Amino acid sequence: MGRNTHQKQSILNALTSLRGQHPTAEMVYERVSQTIPSLSRATVYRVLNGFAEQGAVAQLRITESGYRYDDVMSPHHHLLCDVCKRVVDLTAPQFETIPLPQEDVSGCQIRGVELMFLGVCPECAAK
Ligand SMILES: [Zn+2]
Ligand SMILES: [Zn+2]
């Protein structure tokens, strides 16, 4: 396995180990540097971007703190917690039946729907 492939696999493993947390690139970098301390921050950012361009991971533009990464590629929605700003996966049957318009809307061609719900995550709700 080449060095590049090894780096990419380690970055993907780090992302998978953070599944459900929708980590920033910085969080992935911190995790992967525990196993490969020599890996540069720039490499991690570049590889994550590449994964997103290939459609291997989702890049969420949710908060002003930058992209969040998600290796869960099955369709799902997100809730941004008002309190801790965590991004939580949301799935419910009624979210899967939101009808998409068949014709262009405001000149836009719509290919899917990904909703951002606002509220409070289970941990914060329990406090
Ligand atoms: Zn919360
Ligand atoms: Zn998600």
Side-chain angles (χ1 to χ4, degrees):
M1 193 156 65
R3 183 165 163 265
N4 269 334
T5 316
H6 180 65
Q7 287 183 346
K8 282 185 181 170
Q9 190 57 50
S10 302
I11 292 167
L12 197 57
N13 288 347
L15 183 58
T16 303
S17 75
L18 295 164
R19 176 170 293 170
Q21 298 185 41
H22 304 91
T24 60
E26 188 62 27
M27 288 163 71
V28 176
Y29 167 71
E30 277 164 21
R31 175 63 60 101
V32 80
S33 64
Q34 291 169 5
T35 46
I36 316 181
S38 60
L39 203 60
S40 76
R41 181 179 268 110
T43 301
V44 173
Y45 278 62
R46 183 171 46 74
V47 168
L48 284 172
N49 245 317
F51 284 155
E53 277 168 18
Q54 293 157 20
V57 307
Q59 205 174 35
L60 312 173
R61 298 161 201 82
I62 291 171
T63 54
E64 54 288 5
S65 62
Y67 290 130
R68 304 289 200 101
Y69 289 90
D70 196 351
D71 73 324
V72 176
M73 292 305 285
S74 56
H76 64 281
H77 304 291
H78 294 106
L79 176 135
L80 176 63
C81 177
D82 292 338
V83 180
C84 68
K85 305 298 178 199
R86 220 156 53 88
V87 177
V88 182
D89 287 336
L90 276 191
T91 49
Q94 63 267 41
F95 302 158
E96 275 147 40
T97 54
I98 297 167
L100 291 183
Q102 294 305 305
E103 67 285 349
D104 290 2
V105 174
S106 302
C108 301
Q109 296 172 0
I110 296 173
R111 64 175 162 73
V113 57
E114 195 180 286
L115 297 175
M116 172 60 62
F117 292 85
L118 305 175
V120 179
C121 78
E123 282 78 8
C124 292
K127 279 179 198 159

